[in-house]
Amino acid sequence: MTALVAIIHAGLAAAWVGGMAYSLFVVQPKLKRYFGPDQEGRETLTAVIASGNRWKVVGLIAAITLSGLVLLLMHSEHWWIHAVKGLLLLCATGIFWYVSWRHWPRRVFATAAEVPALQRRLIVLATTMLALTGLAFALGVVAVHL
């Protein structure tokens, strides 16, 4: 049973990390290259791609949290690693909340002059989220080998 929960937990975490990495390192650069100076077209397609994903990610975060808690209850000998993982994921979730409920509405209603700064800010926020979730994922791997 532990192996099944661990596979589910790691798979969900890998999906979150992988999705962010793909967006950050593949989708965003290609959109920038494809649209060039056409900020309006880039923003329109970016909004279409992002549309409807907020609640999917919230569900993914909830499932990661739940499966992590189940693992912790099953094996609590290295609880401190799980506490650090939880803190990292909580910070990443806070950034996700900010991006979803503050940054995107600003970006959708931004003037053409405001868009480049908002795009740069999103790259910083997404990179930070990726680093936090990636580190939490790595700690989970370490915890298995202790």
Side-chain angles (χ1 to χ4, degrees):
M1 184 63 158
T2 301
L4 178 62
V5 176
I7 289 168
I8 291 169
H9 182 69
L12 294 168
W16 194 17
V17 170
M20 285 188 293
Y22 182 74
S23 175
L24 191 59
F25 298 119
V26 177
V27 175
Q28 296 304 317
K30 285 187 178 191
L31 287 173
K32 187 176 184 177
R33 198 168 44 251
Y34 181 79
F35 284 102
D38 179 11
Q39 294 292 334
E40 187 176 333
R42 178 179 168 193
E43 285 300 298
T44 300
L45 184 55
T46 300
V48 168
I49 291 170
S51 178
N53 290 333
R54 175 184 297 155
W55 291 108
K56 292 173 187 171
V57 176
V58 168
L60 184 65
I61 292 168
I64 291 168
T65 301
L66 180 62
S67 60
L69 288 172
V70 169
L71 282 174
L72 180 60
L73 291 173
M74 294 171 94
H75 298 284
S76 61
E77 52 281 352
H78 301 295
W79 64 269
W80 61 272
I81 290 179
H82 300 289
V84 173
K85 277 178 46 182
L87 182 61
L88 293 168
L89 293 173
L90 183 62
C91 291
T93 300
I95 294 170
F96 176 77
W97 177 89
Y98 173 81
V99 167
S100 294
W101 280 275
R102 296 289 185 210
H103 179 87
W104 270 106
R106 285 184 186 137
R107 193 165 165 174
V108 167
F109 296 107
T111 65
E114 295 170 323
V115 168
L118 290 168
Q119 289 170 339
R120 287 189 301 275
R121 183 178 302 151
L122 182 62
I123 295 299
V124 170
L125 292 166
T127 301
T128 304
M129 249 193 318
L130 179 58
L132 291 167
T133 56
L135 182 56
F137 188 84
L139 284 174
V141 172
V142 168
V144 169
H145 297 308
L146 291 178

